[in-house]
Amino acid sequence: MTVLDSLKRPDSVALTLRTLTPLYTGGVGQHGDQIHPSGLLGGIRRFSCLLAATVGDPEFEHTVWGTPTDAKKHHAKQVALRIDASDLKKVNDLPARINWDRPDGQRRQGWFYNVAHDGVLRLTLTRRGISDPHWQLLLLALRIQIRHATFGSRDQWGLGVLTTDELPAVESLQTAHLSDRPGLHRALFVEIQFSRPLPPHWPVRLEQGLRWREKLRNSFRQPGADDLRHYLFGQLNRHGSAINLSALYPQGNQGCALRIWGVIPHTAPPQFADRRNQVMQILRQAIQKGPNGVCPGERQVIWQDGAAHQANLATWINQLAGVAA
């Protein structure tokens, strides 16, 4: 055993996160008047399990996150979350509703908001008895989620983009084995960077993102594509949204950006798996074209599709996480 092997690995990681778009974690009645740790922990669980499916680890969810209380062999979660939200403030100019007329002149129902939070969030994750490989997998997923995805609820409507000046230290991934479960090998991560100043007010930033969402959703208004459109962008009491779009956030010194991410297919058993290539082609064309009159000027699209990295998936995961192999 080497000296490094004998060192005890840290049992917790502390992060100082800043909101790039407001954070919303729901709560009783969906009022959003405070930050709920369970709303953050649930998202971290889901994203880390996506990575576990990607590397072919079927025991990760059970071992790290536990099993339901009605399971024959109940197992409690082995991760604790502590948050300090004292430096978050309520967003005062979040609109109650954003809507606009459809091309046919009818008024759509729109998108509804109430209270979300902006500022600095301190988060501490502590492990309780899980193995080093599972702890490393959790931290690797957390890095990817911060760099490319979102946290909390209503992230399909623009909320929940966070950033940090210091990501948790983690070892690079060495191998990955595909599974048939939803995972990052089915993920799409896109950042659209605009060479224009960030609008100063949240209603405008949110609406810009929602108009991009409308553009992508309408690109699937084709004969025979109704079920596919609902599967990708959500349908009440049937499907959650597979695709999340952020509001505009600051990027670089004078620019702004928005991010798009999702897992397609996002259900088990997978639906529309045989149409994934078609979905990617339609999305890519819609993103390159963009909605008319929204975020004019030059833009750069950074497109990353997990399906294009099947042969070197571990390398791609490390790239997403910002660690060297």
Side-chain angles (χ1 to χ4, degrees), residues 143-292:
R143 288 178 65 110
I144 298 172
Q145 190 171 1
I146 293 170
R147 284 166 53 87
H148 299 284
T150 46
F151 293 79
S153 304
R154 296 185 181 169
D155 50 347
Q156 76 274 30
W157 295 352
L159 306 183
V161 179
L162 305 180
T163 190
T164 182
D165 291 332
E166 187 174 358
L167 291 162
V170 69
E171 297 173 2
S172 59
L173 185 67
Q174 300 302 314
T175 60
H177 307 282
L178 296 181
S179 74
D180 59 356
R181 294 182 294 155
L184 298 189
H185 54 293
R186 299 177 177 172
L188 172 70
F189 298 105
V190 179
E191 184 175 70
I192 309 175
Q193 301 174 352
F194 305 97
S195 58
R196 63 186 298 270
L198 180 72
H201 302 297
W202 282 117
V204 178
R205 298 185 202 177
L206 286 165
E207 181 176 331
Q208 299 284 284
L210 290 172
R211 287 188 179 272
W212 273 87
R213 179 178 179 83
E214 180 187 56
K215 171 66 178 181
L216 300 190
R217 192 175 190 276
N218 285 346
S219 66
F220 291 90
R221 291 190 180 277
Q222 303 174 6
D226 286 352
D227 287 344
L228 177 59
R229 184 175 69 254
H230 294 318
Y231 180 78
L232 294 174
F233 293 93
Q235 186 178 27
L236 186 63
N237 298 324
R238 287 193 62 191
H239 299 294
S241 179
I243 297 175
N244 307 286
L245 279 87
S246 77
L248 291 178
Y249 55 83
Q251 196 277 329
N253 294 327
Q254 297 180 334
C256 59
L258 63 81
R259 66 179 56 171
I260 304 166
W261 81 275
V263 174
I264 305 167
H266 64 293
T267 56
Q271 298 181 42
F272 303 105
D274 59 336
R275 300 180 68 179
R276 190 182 191 278
N277 288 339
Q278 176 195 9
V279 168
M280 292 298 106
Q281 183 178 10
I282 293 173
L283 287 175
R284 192 157 198 163
Q285 291 174 349
I287 289 171
Q288 292 292 344
K289 185 176 181 181
N292 294 331

Side-chain angles (χ1 to χ4, degrees), residues 8-318:
K8 181 177 177 60
R9 297 178 186 272
D11 287 328
S12 64
V13 60
L15 293 173
T16 299
L17 302 169
R18 300 189 312 278
T19 58
L20 295 180
T21 70
L23 179 63
Y24 174 84
T25 57
V28 178
Q30 299 297 304
H31 294 303
D33 56 334
Q34 58 183 303
I35 297 300
H36 296 271
S38 59
L40 287 171
L41 200 61
I44 294 172
R45 172 177 181 162
R46 174 177 175 267
F47 201 88
S48 64
C49 289
L50 289 174
L51 179 56
T54 305
V55 303
D57 189 335
E59 299 300 322
F60 176 86
E61 183 169 15
H62 167 76
T63 303
V64 175
W65 296 107
T67 52
T69 55
D70 59 353
K72 291 182 178 179
K73 293 184 179 180
H74 174 60
H75 179 67
K77 71 177 185 293
Q78 300 298 299
V79 176
L81 174 68
R82 186 173 70 251
I83 64 171
D84 176 3
S86 59
D87 287 328
L88 287 176
K89 62 180 184 298
K90 294 181 180 179
V91 180
N92 295 320
D93 63 343
L94 206 66
R97 181 172 70 169
I98 296 177
N99 63 353
W100 55 85
D101 290 339
R102 301 189 319 197
D104 59 10
Q106 297 184 23
R107 194 72 168 174
R108 60 173 46 80
Q109 185 179 10
W111 296 266
F112 294 85
Y113 301 88
N114 40 35
V115 177
H117 294 79
D118 191 23
V120 173
L121 173 71
R122 294 174 183 85
L123 178 154
T124 302
L125 276 173
T126 302
R127 65 171 179 170
R128 296 171 173 172
I130 62 175
S131 67
D132 282 344
H134 280 168
W135 180 241
Q136 291 294 311
L137 201 62
L138 176 60
L139 297 184
L140 196 68
L142 188 59
R143 288 178 65 110
I144 298 172
Q145 190 171 1
I146 293 170
R147 284 166 53 87
H148 299 284
T150 46
F151 293 79
S153 304
R154 296 185 181 169
D155 50 347
Q156 76 274 30
W157 295 352
L159 306 183
V161 179
L162 305 180
T163 190
T164 182
D165 291 332
E166 187 174 358
L167 291 162
V170 69
E171 297 173 2
S172 59
L173 185 67
Q174 300 302 314
T175 60
H177 307 282
L178 296 181
S179 74
D180 59 356
R181 294 182 294 155
L184 298 189
H185 54 293
R186 299 177 177 172
L188 172 70
F189 298 105
V190 179
E191 184 175 70
I192 309 175
Q193 301 174 352
F194 305 97
S195 58
R196 63 186 298 270
L198 180 72
H201 302 297
W202 282 117
V204 178
R205 298 185 202 177
L206 286 165
E207 181 176 331
Q208 299 284 284
L210 290 172
R211 287 188 179 272
W212 273 87
R213 179 178 179 83
E214 180 187 56
K215 171 66 178 181
L216 300 190
R217 192 175 190 276
N218 285 346
S219 66
F220 291 90
R221 291 190 180 277
Q222 303 174 6
D226 286 352
D227 287 344
L228 177 59
R229 184 175 69 254
H230 294 318
Y231 180 78
L232 294 174
F233 293 93
Q235 186 178 27
L236 186 63
N237 298 324
R238 287 193 62 191
H239 299 294
S241 179
I243 297 175
N244 307 286
L245 279 87
S246 77
L248 291 178
Y249 55 83
Q251 196 277 329
N253 294 327
Q254 297 180 334
C256 59
L258 63 81
R259 66 179 56 171
I260 304 166
W261 81 275
V263 174
I264 305 167
H266 64 293
T267 56
Q271 298 181 42
F272 303 105
D274 59 336
R275 300 180 68 179
R276 190 182 191 278
N277 288 339
Q278 176 195 9
V279 168
M280 292 298 106
Q281 183 178 10
I282 293 173
L283 287 175
R284 192 157 198 163
Q285 291 174 349
I287 289 171
Q288 292 292 344
K289 185 176 181 181
N292 294 331
V294 177
C295 300
E298 294 183 1
R299 62 174 179 261
Q300 179 181 6
V301 177
I302 301 173
W303 170 283
Q304 300 205 64
D305 180 3
H309 299 273
Q310 303 288 309
N312 56 349
L313 200 54
T315 300
W316 183 62
I317 292 296
N318 291 329

